[in-house]
Amino acid sequence: MKFEELTVQREVSPSDDSHMLHVELDPALAEIERGDALLDDLQLVHRDEARLAANRFTRVDEFRRHRELSLAAARDRSGMFGRALRAEVAAALSLPERTAETLMARARALVDDLPTTLARLRDGRFSERHAVIIADESMTLDAAERAEFEAQVLPLAERMRAGLFEKKARQIRELVHGAGLAERHETARERREVLIEPGRDGMGWLSAHLPNEALFAIDNRITAAGRSLQVDDEDRTLTQLKADVLVDALTDEGALLAPGDPETGLRSPTVLRGIRSEVSIVVPALTVMGKAATPGMLEGVTPIDPETARELAASATGFTRILTHPETGVVLSFGKDRYTVPSELKRYLRYRDETCRFIGCSRRARFCDIDHTIPWNGDGLTVHDNLAHLCRGHHKTKDAGWGVTQARDGSGSLTWTSPMGRAYATEAVHPIGGRAGP
């Protein structure tokens, strides 16, 4: 075996003929020592991240306190100061507003109610994720319950991975806060929702915040249906079958599920009546004609391959077809003759904006209002460069001290000015100027 030679300095007596000591070290041992050093560095970085997270929570809460004690807060009569404050944090940190709201709530909980947790996070004794779990699970506890909960979970946070710790913390929280479960469930049920998150390669995620009994019932149903389809010539896995069953149940007018093993609960062919879907697509005309391979866009946002775009464009009812052409246009201005935005202009604006045009808001344009940037009852016109999509919440934000102007070049660029005087720009997804495809 070949060895590397390392030179090591040592103290020698005057009579010692040797001034250097040569030590031969096994390369494998050198690799282990190097690996140990790298892991030590990683642990230092991990502790630094925890310290920075603690400082971020502290600064966020300091800013909240500062604004809530400001003259602007005292003079506010709109009832929207909290919304404006949340928007200010979101804009400064380039966060979605809901994320900013959650950050502020966690910061308040850690600073005001969980100072020991915050101190241990600053010491790097566990990760930011651990601190977030503790803050989230303690939100609805009273002072005595919160103290008991924190005392029980902190030792676990220092020795458990975040995933396992989250489950354990939730169990402890339910035991500490056992009373009033029915009332708490009813309150939490008000926050039920379904979310979609488009992903890569034409795939995405569908998630639902639902009562646990509904979640288990849905999973049991699609699992039973998936198992019933596992016949000899079926090459899909159960996971794939469950996904396909869910799609069929929600989108097909009548998905026929074949019978299978009696233990699955499907002893006879079962028809699941689905929900008829409506999807907006934007497809270039040449793609529809098969003369180009330009992708289409689902809801104007998510790319789909040309073949799928052609199939959707050829479908009957249920799809809004929007064909774009570089030489054709739509009427973009109706001046002061009318306040209501005509359907042709609405289609153009939906294509241009795609989402609410407030900073960081991702609510789709089809679920938003069309706002006159300069009010129509003032000097504003019903014209494309004075119109933009705003969700109901951000419509109201304008009443809480936020100002907005729109570029006059037809690009749809907006500049928002916060109550503190900071300016933030938002750009249209398709800034196609004064003309738009039908």
Side-chain angles (χ1 to χ4, degrees):
M1 178 181 295
K2 184 177 180 181
F3 295 91
E4 292 182 348
E5 185 178 80
L6 300 180
T7 302
V8 181
Q9 296 282 355
R10 69 168 186 172
E11 293 184 3
V12 295
S13 65
S15 60
D16 195 336
D17 295 330
S18 172
H19 295 279
M20 304 295 290
L21 175 65
H22 297 281
V23 178
E24 293 179 335
L25 183 64
D26 188 335
L29 181 58
E31 288 180 357
I32 292 173
E33 290 185 351
R34 175 59 176 160
D36 283 340
L38 290 173
L39 284 175
D40 288 341
D41 288 344
L42 284 174
Q43 289 178 325
L44 287 174
V45 170
H46 189 63
R47 286 193 289 272
D48 286 344
E49 289 175 343
R51 176 178 53 81
L52 289 173
N55 290 340
R56 181 172 64 252
F57 285 125
T58 301
R59 295 294 180 269
V60 167
D61 199 62
E62 286 177 353
F63 177 74
R64 175 191 63 79
R65 292 170 185 271
H66 166 74
R67 293 302 295 157
E68 289 180 350
L69 295 174
S70 67
L71 292 175
R75 294 170 179 170
D76 177 65
R77 297 294 181 268
S78 68
M80 292 292 293
F81 183 81
R83 183 70 185 261
L85 172 59
R86 184 177 74 187
E88 186 88 55
V89 173
L93 301 182
S94 298
L95 297 173
E97 252 186 88
R98 183 175 293 187
T99 304
E101 181 181 31
T102 301
L103 174 62
M104 292 171 66
R106 288 168 175 167
R108 182 198 292 260
L110 288 166
V111 172
D112 290 350
D113 304 325
L114 301 162
T116 304
T117 299
L118 184 62
R120 295 194 185 185
L121 175 65
R122 185 173 285 109
D123 291 340
R125 295 169 70 170
F126 43 70
S127 70
E128 178 183 1
R129 177 63 184 151
H130 289 81
V132 164
I133 292 168
I134 296 173
D136 289 352
E137 294 296 336
S138 69
M139 288 290 186
T140 57
L141 302 179
D142 62 32
E145 292 171 339
R146 187 166 49 247
E148 175 64 22
F149 171 74
E150 185 180 34
Q152 290 193 40
V153 298
L154 280 179
L156 301 177
E158 296 186 17
R159 64 175 187 266
M160 280 187 172
R161 294 190 301 272
L164 182 59
F165 173 69
E166 184 171 18
K167 296 177 181 178
K168 189 64 177 177
R170 187 171 297 124
Q171 292 172 357
I172 294 173
R173 186 251 187 197
E174 292 299 329
L175 292 173
V176 169
H177 190 40
L181 178 58
E183 292 80 2
R184 288 189 284 115
H185 172 66
E186 189 59 33
T187 301
R189 191 173 179 272
E190 295 296 323
R191 299 193 296 272
R192 61 191 182 276
E193 62 180 340
V194 176
L195 302 172
I196 63 168
E197 182 183 352
R200 298 185 181 91
D201 305 323
M203 301 292 286
W205 295 96
L206 169 71
S207 59
H209 183 60
L210 299 173
N212 287 332
E213 63 272 18
L215 292 176
F216 282 104
I218 292 170
D219 186 63
N220 290 341
R221 181 68 183 275
I222 63 174
T223 299
R227 285 175 177 166
S228 75
L229 298 174
Q230 286 185 309
V231 294
D232 292 340
D233 59 347
E234 177 59 67
D235 58 358
R236 288 174 293 178
T237 66
L238 179 59
T239 299
Q240 293 169 335
L241 287 168
K242 288 172 64 177
D244 292 344
V245 166
L246 181 64
V247 172
D248 289 344
L250 293 177
T251 60
D252 283 6
E253 293 186 34
L256 182 64
L257 304 178
D261 190 328
E263 293 183 2
T264 66
L266 294 178
R267 296 181 174 83
S268 60
T270 302
V271 175
L272 290 180
R273 291 294 173 185
I275 301 169
R276 296 191 65 178
S277 60
E278 180 179 340
V279 180
S280 295
I281 59 171
V282 177
V283 188
L286 294 178
T287 296
V288 174
M289 293 185 291
K291 296 183 178 180
T294 306
M297 303 289 285
L298 278 175
E299 301 293 344
V301 180
T302 307
I304 53 175
D305 64 273
E307 184 59 34
T308 301
R310 281 191 285 270
E311 291 177 3
L312 296 183
S315 300
T317 11
F319 293 95
T320 301
R321 289 179 293 240
I322 304 173
L323 307 182
T324 61
H325 194 285
E327 296 178 359
T328 61
V330 298
V331 178
L332 299 178
S333 176
F334 292 84
K336 294 291 287 186
D337 294 337
R338 58 194 299 179
Y339 171 79
T340 304
V341 182
S343 58
E344 187 179 39
L345 183 51
K346 285 181 179 179
R347 287 196 296 270
Y348 161 68
L349 292 170
R350 184 186 295 182
Y351 174 72
R352 184 196 72 183
D353 292 347
E354 292 191 358
T355 66
C356 168
R357 294 298 309 285
F358 191 77
I359 311 151
C361 186
S362 58
R363 187 166 184 80
R364 285 183 287 175
R366 65 182 301 180
F367 302 122
C368 296
D369 301 326
I370 297 178
D371 173 64
H372 286 73
T373 305
I374 301 174
W376 187 81
N377 57 9
D379 297 327
L381 306 178
T382 303
V383 57
H384 71 105
D385 57 6
N386 190 48
L387 298 169
H389 285 88
L390 293 180
C391 66
R392 293 289 171 89
H394 288 127
H395 239 144
K396 296 178 181 178
T397 302
K398 292 175 65 177
D399 298 329
W402 281 84
V404 60
T405 58
Q406 183 166 169
R408 312 315 297 175
D409 59 2
S411 64
S413 175
L414 301 183
T415 299
W416 289 89
T417 304
S418 78
M420 294 183 64
R422 294 196 174 201
Y424 303 92
T426 68
E427 304 297 331
V429 176
H430 300 289
I432 50 183
R435 296 181 66 78

